[in-house]
Amino acid sequence: MFECDVLCIGAGGAGLVAAATAAGTGSRTIVISKMPYGCGNTRISGGLVLRPNISPKDSLDSLMRDIIVGGEFLSDQALVHEYCKRAGLAAELMERFGIIFSRNSSGQPAPLPTAMGGHSLPRTLTGYCEGIPIGTALRAAAAGAGVSVLDETLALSLLKRDGSVTGAVCLRWATGEIICISAKQTILATGGLCRLFYPHTSNSSSVTGDGFALALDAGAELVDMEQQQFIPFAITHPESSVGIVCGEPAIAGPYGRLLNARGEEIIKGIRTKTRAEISAAMALARQRGEATGHGGLLLDLSPNLRRPIGKKMFAFIKRTFPSMIDAVRHAYGEEAARGEIPWDVFPTAHYQLGGVRVDTRCRVRGVANLFAAGEVMGGLYGANRIGSTSLAELFIFGSLAGECAAKSAHETERPRIDLDHAREVQQRAGRWRDKKGSVRPVQLMRELGAAMWENVGPVRNASGLEAALKKIEEIRLRSEDVSVAARRDYNPEWLDALELEKMLVTAEAVTRSAFERTETRGGHVRTDFPRRDENRLKSVVVKKSEDSLSVEREDVKLEKYGLETKGGPNPIRERIQFIILGLLPRKTQEKILNARLNLGDSD
């Protein structure tokens, strides 16, 4: 038995920020991590972070408007307000943890020169590092704050007593030991679920949606689980590279085009569009039979190379997104990496938008002593997340959850553990080990991923969603016939079986929510309901009762910004600016571009 004031389940960005914040108040804090801590999706981030109010034209209202309009009005506007109110603290906190951002010649934070997709103003900082160093910095911050870490530990179930969460039962899969952790307050920071769509995902292998199943079992509600963000530009071949992100709207530069297999442009001004808008356009183009032989569309960056402004901008983009260019080079060759030939691309499952319902202090609604932060938390982004917001979110809500959980822990008595529940969880987990079935758990995981991508990916309809639900139930029945080795320590098949159990719950929640979303809103397309319908502007809420899931719709509260609100970049104004810039003398162009791109006098 372990005891602590604050237990944090998950050790990615949000989890480590929450843990370091809680421990910094003097609370005894334990973090559990399914993988070595500091991993998860934070390690695959591009290092871009929102930093508002760099421009004198920026404001809290402007940022709120962009997030809500970009999220197609499905966001919880109270959560968005809390996010925007605290957004300026994210970059400061990150630099305090050792993550340094680009500066101009006077030492001030220097954003990207143009607005990222969905933003009306430039407010995105670039780091001198990408995801792995960010994870390393967070590990150091947690260690410095005195956080206790249990690596390679999987949460099996949240413990409850009298309606309040009292900790968790966990498997230390390195040793095969099942343990109880007693906690006054618990924070879910387990990340997203996009591994459900494998191999069409950018996510790490551990991101299997555990937290959503844990929350449902504890009595929490999930909101808008059908909303995933499919980042639009990912590699389509060879097989070993499928799903790897090679860019988002900004990478197109001022003159990049998105073409179908016939060479026709499918959507104009891609650099200024949101990820959802482009993903939906690509899904529709493939549905019309316009995709390439590899199932993708063609991202043509070569027009940038024919104009001085575009050439300069593309050179800057290559320096800003080196890992993406390397992925293109590996898959498509050097000519593609130089932008000379088109890239074959299609959206990949990147980020879970829906999740656990929380209030503005990260408390899980309807469940005492439980908080949520990071990608497992729902309601903030609605149907789409505009660029560079997720890293900021980890620090904004991670620190808020840690602060509020620590404060609540100081006011909470040491909880009593329900030992009968703990023994039941232990027996249920143990039954998977040493099974002599006919199928390996990983095979069922692959079948689930294929069914989810085919039927609940960017293109959806009622018959496909029904097929997905049947497949989920079929896999659930077949999972009783899995083959799992007998060993206790480092038994990957045991871990796979336990993950699969929760993946099936989460996949069902996503699919039932998608069935209820009878419109096209966000990055997916309902081919049987191909338009956004403001009469169907509802949140879809999933609850668990006994052993079944129920789904219902609720009205979205348009508290500050209604459906008439406009936001995001102005592509016509941007195009005019580029035309005017192109008419200026070459030296003047160079001077303006160097200033905007924060370069020296020579390139």
Side-chain angles (χ1 to χ4, degrees), residues 153-279:
T153 301
L154 172 69
L156 299 172
S157 178
L158 297 177
L159 287 166
K160 286 185 73 176
R161 193 177 190 96
D162 301 326
S164 298
V165 171
T166 58
V169 184
C170 310
L171 167 68
R172 302 206 72 184
W173 69 277
T175 62
E177 177 189 10
I178 292 180
I179 62 171
C180 280
I181 304 175
S182 168
K184 294 180 179 180
Q185 302 292 326
T186 300
I187 302 172
L188 277 178
T190 48
L193 54 73
C194 287
R195 203 70 180 178
L196 284 178
F197 298 95
Y198 180 85
H200 298 276
T201 179
S202 64
N203 283 196
S204 303
S205 61
S206 61
V207 186
T208 53
D210 302 354
F212 305 103
L214 289 170
L216 279 172
D217 281 342
E221 297 177 350
L222 307 182
V223 62
D224 298 326
M225 288 293 288
E226 79 287 353
Q227 295 294 344
Q228 290 78 48
Q229 181 169 74
F230 300 99
I231 204 164
F233 304 143
I235 290 168
T236 60
H237 66 285
E239 187 177 350
S240 60
S241 297
V242 168
I244 294 175
V245 174
C246 61
E248 63 152 272
I251 209 166
Y255 304 112
R257 303 181 304 158
L258 190 57
L259 312 174
N260 62 21
R262 298 191 294 269
E264 301 162 342
E265 195 167 10
I266 68 165
I267 184 171
K268 299 282 188 182
I270 55 177
R271 195 186 62 75
T272 63
K273 297 288 192 295
T274 66
R275 294 168 176 176
E277 287 171 326
I278 297 175
S279 294

Side-chain angles (χ1 to χ4, degrees), residues 440-442 445 491-501 503:
R440 295 176 65 206
V442 71
M445 286 176 159
N491 185 340
E493 291 174 339
W494 191 15
L495 180 64
D496 287 344
L498 292 166
E499 285 186 324
L500 177 62
E501 192 174 28
M503 287 173 77

Side-chain angles (χ1 to χ4, degrees), residues 581 584 587-598:
L581 190 58
L584 296 174
K587 286 188 177 179
T588 306
Q589 287 185 28
E590 290 287 315
K591 187 176 289 187
I592 292 171
L593 278 171
N594 285 339
R596 290 184 73 180
L597 301 178
N598 307 301

Side-chain angles (χ1 to χ4, degrees), residues 511-532:
T511 307
R512 291 196 182 281
S513 296
F515 205 98
E516 197 71 18
R517 176 69 60 195
T518 52
E519 61 166 346
T520 289
R521 187 179 297 269
H524 67 271
V525 172
R526 276 291 297 255
T527 56
D528 45 354
F529 297 97
R531 288 186 171 78
R532 192 169 98 180

